[in-house]
Amino acid sequence: LVLPVRPPADHDGRLREFDAPEVAPGPAHKPLRPLPFKRSMELDLASNEMVYTLQSGGGEFDGHALAHLPDIETDLGYTFTKRHRIADDDPQSAKTEISQTVRLRREDWDIRVESHVQVQSAGDHLELKATINAYEDGRLITRHWDVAIPRKLF
């Protein structure tokens, strides 16, 4: 990105500062439970594999961050796990997994969406596997992807 630049002028020092940026107000919400958060880094000395994990909560509303949105009378819950791993001496061992759950409920309905994505190196391509499970009123809808993505090797 190249932006035009005005040459310096003698009166630059007398210019007023910019005002604070203007933003729209965020949605009104009432936090009901904070997001429990854990970060860990593990090294398996036997396999020489490094695992970096970010995790918040887990399991239904009990482990979710939870907020109430009064404008639409809805409770919102969210949790995730992100795990990245690689062996110190093998870049082809790289693997990333992300799992998330979002749940919305109000008096007359309750929905939950769970997603899991895994990407790993596999020689001349990356393997992407993903699953989404959506639950509404006891019904389950599932979608699954299993895709090989060619890599541009130098």
Side-chain angles (χ1 to χ4, degrees), residues 50-70:
M50 176 71 68
V51 180
Y52 177 59
T53 304
L54 301 164
Q55 187 169 27
S56 72
E60 297 303 316
F61 266 123
D62 296 334
H64 286 66
L66 190 58
H68 180 73
L69 308 172

Side-chain angles (χ1 to χ4, degrees), residues 68-88:
H68 180 73
L69 308 172
D71 291 345
I72 56 174
E73 287 300 318
T74 301
D75 290 337
L76 167 67
Y78 177 73
T79 186
F80 72 88
T81 300
K82 298 178 182 182
R83 184 168 288 119
H84 314 285
R85 60 179 69 229
I86 190 167
D88 185 40

Side-chain angles (χ1 to χ4, degrees), residues 28-35 65-70 76:
H29 71 284
K30 177 183 176 186
L32 301 177
R33 182 175 41 246
L35 181 68
L66 190 58
H68 180 73
L69 308 172
L76 167 67

Side-chain angles (χ1 to χ4, degrees), residues 86-141:
I86 190 167
D88 185 40
D89 57 351
D90 182 11
Q92 292 296 326
S93 69
K95 181 177 183 179
T96 293
E97 296 177 78
I98 301 173
S99 298
Q100 299 183 102
T101 301
V102 176
R103 186 165 178 196
L104 297 163
R105 72 175 175 194
R106 60 171 96 149
E107 190 174 300
D108 54 342
W109 59 265
D110 186 349
I111 62 171
R112 184 174 80 240
V113 178
E114 300 169 343
S115 64
H116 182 79
V117 177
Q118 174 183 307
V119 179
Q120 70 182 46
S121 179
D124 64 348
H125 66 282
L126 297 173
E127 293 177 354
L128 177 123
K129 296 179 181 184
T131 301
I132 294 179
N133 294 320
Y135 302 85
E136 181 179 13
D137 300 326
R139 293 178 295 141
L140 167 63
I141 299 170

